[in-house]
């Protein structure tokens, strides 16, 4: 469904991604592990059409989308939920969710139905739909960010560090929701530093370091990999 084929990306003389290759098949939940600066967010920005790549292919449903503009990418069902949430804090929860449906604005009924589905997934957001997004807790703001992405109708959802800065109980709830989204048929590519929680729910994972993919495998092989344990699981 999504295949990254030898993608490189440069900022001037600096190589941020070095011939990265990975894939996410229909219905999979794929995890990208790596420390800050490993290239996870840069890869998501490349897939989303924000940063142009220097070489390689980004294949989505068999078509190279490397030169597509971001609105087209979103409209075709490849949706990015960025690190840091990027909400509009002075706008209501409802208005933030509505913005997720911007590329489908001609289908007002469909957007409203998607928002109702978000409220079913996150009931607290229905209660707080008229509050300013900036007044919510960190966990609730992350729910809004994920909800906004879901209103865009993703076939593939790129989630960048959704657990960052959240309390352990909220992290547990967040990963349960991500698993539920995946179980409903959405392919998920999840970038995370919370390696243990992420590996527990994924099908396969890739480990990135300094813009390179250095390791890949299914969750069992990576959970029992000694190098992964030492680097990410505190063993």
């Amino acid at each position: 469904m999504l295949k990254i084929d030898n993608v490189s990306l440069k900022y001037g003389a600096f190589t941020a991604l070095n011939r990265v290759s990975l894939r996410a098949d229909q219905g999979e939940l794929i995890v990208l592990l790596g420390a800050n600066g490993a290239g996870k967010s840069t890869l998501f920005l490349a897939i989303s059409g924000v940063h142009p790549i220097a070489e390689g292919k980004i294949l989505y449903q068999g078509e190279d989308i490397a030169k597509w503009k971001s609105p087209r990418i979103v409209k075709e069902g490849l949706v990015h939920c960025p690190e840091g949430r990027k909400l509009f804090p002075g706008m209501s929860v409802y208005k933030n969710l509505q913005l997720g449906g911007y590329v489908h604005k001609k289908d007002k009924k469909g957007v409203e139905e998607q928002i109702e589905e978000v409220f079913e997934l996150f009931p607290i957001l229905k209660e707080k739909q008229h509050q300013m997004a900036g007044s919510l807790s960190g966990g609730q703001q992350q729910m809004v960010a994920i909800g906004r992405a879901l209103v865009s109708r993703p076939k593939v959802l790129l989630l960048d560090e959704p657990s960052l800065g959240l309390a352990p109980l909220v992290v547990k709830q967040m990963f349960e929701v991500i698993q539920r989204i995946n179980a409903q048929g959405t392919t998920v590519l999840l970038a995370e530093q919370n390696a243990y929680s992420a590996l527990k729910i994924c099908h396969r994972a890739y480990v990135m370091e300094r813009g390179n993919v250095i390791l890949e495998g299914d969750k069992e092989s990576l959970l029992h990999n000694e190098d992964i344990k030492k680097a990410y699981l505190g063993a």
Side-chain angles (χ1 to χ4, degrees), residues 39-228:
K40 306 186 304 298
S41 295
T42 300
L43 177 60
F44 279 7
L45 291 170
I47 294 170
S48 303
V50 177
H51 291 332
I53 62 175
E55 61 181 332
K57 294 180 179 180
I58 300 172
L59 299 169
Y60 174 58
Q61 299 186 121
E63 188 168 357
D64 189 355
I65 66 168
K67 289 186 169 61
W68 286 15
K69 300 296 184 183
S70 294
R72 182 182 178 188
I73 291 171
V74 174
K75 194 167 186 178
E76 292 297 325
L78 211 168
V79 180
H80 181 194
C81 182
E83 179 183 356
R85 299 152 198 161
K86 304 295 192 294
L87 302 180
F88 292 89
M91 294 173 63
S92 70
V93 168
Y94 185 83
K95 287 291 185 182
N96 271 273
L97 293 175
Q98 261 192 328
L99 286 172
Y102 181 77
V103 295
H104 305 293
K105 59 185 177 181
K106 292 182 179 179
D107 181 16
K108 292 183 179 179
K109 182 180 178 183
V111 171
E112 293 301 315
E113 288 174 351
Q114 292 297 134
I115 292 174
E116 284 302 317
E117 288 185 17
V118 170
F119 288 155
E120 289 179 18
L121 191 63
F122 301 114
I124 189 66
L125 296 188
K126 185 163 190 174
E127 294 177 28
K128 296 179 179 288
Q129 63 179 297
H130 301 300
Q131 287 186 217
M132 297 300 102
S135 71
L136 303 183
S137 69
Q140 290 165 358
Q141 288 187 30
Q142 187 62 63
M143 292 176 192
V144 177
I146 293 175
R148 181 179 59 189
L150 292 176
V151 176
S152 297
R153 308 177 191 177
K155 297 174 184 174
V156 177
L157 179 60
L158 310 177
L159 285 174
D160 196 355
E161 303 284 1
S163 74
L164 194 64
L166 303 183
L169 180 59
V170 181
V171 171
K172 181 176 182 293
Q173 294 169 343
M174 197 62 63
F175 278 99
E176 288 172 353
V177 167
I178 292 167
Q179 203 168 17
R180 183 175 166 188
I181 291 168
N182 175 244
Q184 291 173 346
T186 303
T187 302
V188 177
L189 195 55
L190 170 65
E192 261 295 339
Q193 291 186 61
N194 192 330
Y196 184 75
S197 296
L199 287 173
K200 291 291 284 185
I201 67 169
C202 78
H203 297 105
R204 294 185 296 108
Y206 295 83
V207 181
M208 293 189 69
E209 186 176 290
R210 298 177 185 175
N212 295 275
V213 171
I214 61 168
L215 192 64
E216 63 178 280
D218 60 30
K219 66 180 178 181
E220 294 301 327
S221 65
L222 293 183
L223 278 168
H224 294 95
N225 182 292
E226 291 302 320
D227 291 334
I228 297 297

